[in-house]
Amino acid sequence: MTDEDDRRKQKEERRHPSEKDDTAMPRRAHDSSRVRAAIRTELEEVAEEAPGSQTATRPVPKVISVENVSLSFDEPVLENISFTARAGETIVVVGESGTGKSTILKLLLRLLIPDQGRVAIDGEDITHLTFDDALKVRQKMGMVFQGAALFDSMTVYENVAYPLREHTDLQEDEIEARVREKLEFVDLEPHKVMDQLPSELSGGMKKRVGIARGLANNPEIMLYDEPTSGLDPLTTATITYLILKLQRELGVTSIVVSHDIRSSFRMGSKIALLANKRIGFFGTPEEMTGSDDPYIREFLGGF
Amino acid sequence: MILERFNDAAKRGVYSLQEFFVLAGKALGFIFVKPFYASDLFQQMDSIGVGSLGIVLLTGFFTGMVLALQSSVQLQTFGASDYIGRLIAGSMIRELGPVLAGLMVAGRVGSGIAAQLGSMRVTEQIDALNTLGTDPIKKLVTPRVLAALVMLPVLTIINDFIGILGGNVIARFYLGKPSALYWKTVFEQMLAGGFTLHYIPNDFIQGLIKPFVFGGIISLVACYYGLKTTGGTEGVGISTTRTVVTASILILVVDYFLTQILLSIFQQ
């Protein structure tokens, strides 16, 4: 049995029985209160299940490992940061604004190179890769940017098709099928949005197209930069639900950078709290809420 | 203290210059590396070349006319107003055509490129390209530089022609010189500078090397400032202004040195 088969099997086993029920969640999360209620129950269910279902007893391969990484621009930004993400886990990096949360994503994508330490993806050290090799590693990852970062000169269709055109030899009809599939996955109606330009979309829709584009190449890792910032509570819930759906249906490993502690607890299997350039806490949401550390208590505040 | 600040500024200057030449080297090197973004190239040729046609036609025509008007006064004092075609052809082809086209394109296209790449930078679209496994220099800079290198000489030829035509209008209707005489002196001037490879007038070579160089300057300066943009929409404005100022000054300065070199080669 190959490694990949092994990993897929492990993902299957780690799924919660309720997750197999696809009908629990309506396809499109648009209007009705029924949908809202469904999202709410779904979120709560998963929040309860998350820690137990993620930390499987058998060893799951490390997909991302960050070891003793330090980085400084004019001033030190990160000092001696270490954490790992195993296959299928969702790590949420929380912390105050300006503590270098997004920098961690850039390190994983090798848009930045650490001054010290190493970053490994699938066991491969990416710190010293050449530019071309780094482009290849990035294909394993889908990134959702804070402002979605859709190419505004291209239609929604071209945006989602972009990574496919760039890296695969798919025929046009295959590309179209894939684009439709991904747009449907993020609960958008392909025939309505495909020909629209990003400037014609609402904030929440842009984020979803951003997720669809990140997903297009079927990456094993998804990175999210503040996926819920600047969205209303309902859209926030929908996006949170989408991230959970991705984690469960596709088994992707995710790193989410967020300052929205409520949704972080819902989607994170582990939380990394970034404070004073270091990781002040790394553990499950339960461990975090149970902590006596004064800074953590203050950070959680009224939660 | 002052020395230290001067030292820092000098270091930054040298570093920027190095960054600029690294960008230039990569952009030109990528012309020969696959994949080649042909559709981006044609789109840029359209926007840089066809898009600038209007302003180039206008400036060329009026410059030719004003040149004829001003020089007619001078030439009449020497009784040499029959040679007005020579003067206009000489100055348009060798000097004014390339420089004016360069300055107009720097204002119109340079600012546009800087603003577009700058907004792409501040909205993380450049990072998105990187993340999706595309080299932004190859996708964005190379097509723009190549398009400018090709289109600026083309625009200059049009500018030269329309400028000489503007001179013709003044010579015919204001000074009363027959068009045949005007064009005869124009061709005399073109052929007077000698030939390269027996057939190509030296004036043409001089007049086409310049816009080629200017095209490179405009596109590279614009891409450099655009990609380096920081600080949100305000940063985009700063990059745009810097591009137009730097490119315009560079065009005028480089034009002087280029003229010196070209004259020493061709004007034996």
Side-chain angles (χ1 to χ4, degrees), chain A residues 237-262:
Chain A
T238 327
I239 298 289
T240 311
Y241 157 73
L242 257 176
I243 294 173
L244 283 166
K245 182 173 153 191
L246 242 120
Q247 174 191 335
R248 289 177 298 131
E249 288 184 18
L250 308 177
V252 293
T253 311
S254 313
I255 307 284
V256 186
V257 160
S258 178
H259 60 241
D260 179 357
I261 196 76
R262 191 172 292 270

Side-chain angles (χ1 to χ4, degrees), chain A residues 106 109 111 131 135 138-139 141 143 145-147 149-152 154 162-163 166-167 213 225, chain B residues 26 30 35 37 43 116 119-120 123-136 139:
Chain A
K106 291 193 173 159
L109 287 163
L111 293 173
F131 190 84
L135 290 180
R138 285 179 202 143
Q139 290 175 39
M141 296 183 250
M143 167 89 187
F145 288 88
Q146 188 170 357
L150 301 177
F151 303 126
D152 40 29
M154 302 180 192
Y162 188 86
E166 203 70 348
H167 301 299
R213 185 178 67 182
D225 191 3
Chain B
K26 279 189 182 171
F30 277 138
Y37 295 99
Q43 199 191 333
Q116 194 192 3
S119 331
M120 287 184 80
T123 56
E124 294 182 303
Q125 290 179 54
I126 303 283
D127 285 336
L129 273 176
N130 256 321
T131 310
L132 294 170
T134 306
D135 190 328
K139 169 91 178 158

Side-chain angles (χ1 to χ4, degrees), chain B:
Chain B
M1 188 64 189
I2 294 169
L3 206 65
E4 208 171 83
R5 210 181 287 172
F6 179 76
N7 191 19
D8 280 352
K11 267 190 210 160
R12 267 202 306 275
V14 172
Y15 181 66
S16 310
L17 214 60
Q18 180 193 335
E19 273 187 321
F20 177 80
F21 281 108
V22 168
L23 176 76
K26 279 189 182 171
L28 296 174
F30 277 138
I31 295 173
F32 309 103
V33 181
K34 282 187 176 180
F36 188 72
Y37 295 99
S39 63
D40 289 278
L41 174 66
F42 291 127
Q43 199 191 333
Q44 288 308 320
M45 285 172 79
D46 182 51
S47 107
I48 294 174
V50 182
S52 307
L53 204 57
I55 53 166
V56 164
L57 286 175
L58 267 175
T59 47
F61 192 67
F62 280 96
T63 308
M65 290 209 296
V66 81
L67 200 61
L69 215 53
Q70 287 283 10
S71 48
S72 69
V73 182
Q74 305 293 328
L75 288 172
Q76 260 164 359
T77 50
F78 300 113
S81 54
D82 279 357
Y83 292 105
I84 192 156
R86 282 194 81 143
L87 192 138
I88 289 176
S91 33
M92 275 314 285
I93 294 173
R94 289 212 303 239
E95 202 53 58
L96 283 175
V99 171
L100 281 175
L103 290 176
M104 295 317 285
V105 171
R108 186 187 167 275
V109 176
S111 59
I113 292 176
Q116 194 192 3
L117 297 197
S119 331
M120 287 184 80
R121 166 62 80 197
V122 300
T123 56
E124 294 182 303
Q125 290 179 54
I126 303 283
D127 285 336
L129 273 176
N130 256 321
T131 310
L132 294 170
T134 306
D135 190 328
I137 295 178
K138 184 187 266 186
K139 169 91 178 158
L140 300 172
V141 180
T142 300
R144 284 168 173 77
V145 173
L146 204 55
L149 288 179
V150 174
M151 294 320 277
L152 218 66
V154 174
L155 286 172
T156 300
I157 292 172
I158 296 169
N159 197 15
D160 291 348
F161 175 74
I162 211 77
I164 294 170
L165 198 69
N168 184 14
V169 170
I170 294 299
R172 172 74 190 80
F173 296 106
Y174 187 77
L175 305 173
K177 306 284 175 197
S179 286
L181 176 69
Y182 179 83
W183 285 100
K184 185 171 157 273
T185 54
V186 165
F187 284 112
E188 269 172 19
Q189 169 63 31
M190 284 180 190
L191 308 180
F195 296 90
T196 301
L197 300 170
H198 300 296
Y199 294 110
I200 312 163
N202 283 340
D203 275 16
F204 284 14
I205 296 184
Q206 284 197 57
L208 289 180
I209 287 178
K210 283 181 181 177
F212 185 73
V213 174
F214 296 161
I217 291 175
I218 295 165
S219 54
L220 283 167
V221 166
C223 290
Y224 173 73
Y225 281 124
L227 289 178
K228 249 177 66 112
T229 304
T230 49
T233 42
E234 202 188 334
V236 176
I238 294 171
S239 296
T240 312
T241 314
R242 276 189 184 154
T243 299
V244 177
V245 172
T246 312
S248 306
I249 291 172
L250 272 178
I251 285 173
L252 294 171
V253 173
V254 169
D255 179 54
Y256 171 76
F257 290 104
L258 213 54
T259 307
Q260 284 251 310
I261 295 169
L262 290 170
L263 282 181
S264 73
I265 295 173
F266 292 110
Q267 220 76 3
Q268 298 297 345

Side-chain angles (χ1 to χ4, degrees), chain A residues 85-264:
Chain A
R86 294 181 182 279
E89 277 187 332
T90 299
I91 312 283
V92 185
V93 182
V94 295
E96 294 170 50
S97 305
T99 46
K101 298 190 299 276
S102 304
T103 311
I104 291 182
L105 295 182
K106 291 193 173 159
L107 284 168
L108 294 176
L109 287 163
R110 206 189 161 282
L111 293 173
L112 293 171
I113 301 168
D115 299 335
Q116 277 164 17
R118 75 193 274 273
V119 179
I121 306 290
D122 278 340
E124 183 193 4
D125 188 349
I126 62 163
T127 326
H128 302 293
L129 290 184
T130 63
F131 190 84
D132 286 334
D133 288 331
L135 290 180
K136 282 185 197 115
V137 171
R138 285 179 202 143
Q139 290 175 39
K140 293 182 183 178
M141 296 183 250
M143 167 89 187
V144 180
F145 288 88
Q146 188 170 357
L150 301 177
F151 303 126
D152 40 29
S153 56
M154 302 180 192
T155 62
V156 167
Y157 177 83
E158 286 301 327
N159 263 286
V160 181
Y162 188 86
L164 301 172
R165 291 198 201 286
E166 203 70 348
H167 301 299
T168 66
D169 298 322
L170 293 179
Q171 297 300 310
E172 193 55 42
D173 52 338
E174 293 171 297
I175 290 180
E176 190 179 333
R178 183 82 73 86
V179 172
R180 282 178 184 279
E181 176 203 326
K182 298 303 174 195
L183 286 174
E184 274 166 18
F185 188 90
V186 296
D187 296 327
L188 288 170
E189 291 172 77
H191 66 277
K192 278 194 189 162
V193 293
M194 275 200 324
D195 295 327
Q196 285 187 300
L197 286 171
S199 54
E200 298 167 316
L201 303 177
S202 70
M205 282 164 93
K206 274 187 201 161
K207 283 254 158 88
R208 284 194 245 181
V209 175
I211 294 177
R213 185 178 67 182
L215 274 178
N217 226 352
N218 294 329
E220 51 182 296
I221 300 166
M222 283 295 282
L223 308 173
Y224 304 88
D225 191 3
E226 301 276 7
T228 57
S229 76
L231 298 177
D232 63 85
L234 179 64
T235 320
T236 299
T238 327
I239 298 289
T240 311
Y241 157 73
L242 257 176
I243 294 173
L244 283 166
K245 182 173 153 191
L246 242 120
Q247 174 191 335
R248 289 177 298 131
E249 288 184 18
L250 308 177
V252 293
T253 311
S254 313
I255 307 284
V256 186
V257 160
S258 178
H259 60 241
D260 179 357
I261 196 76
R262 191 172 292 270
S263 58
S264 301

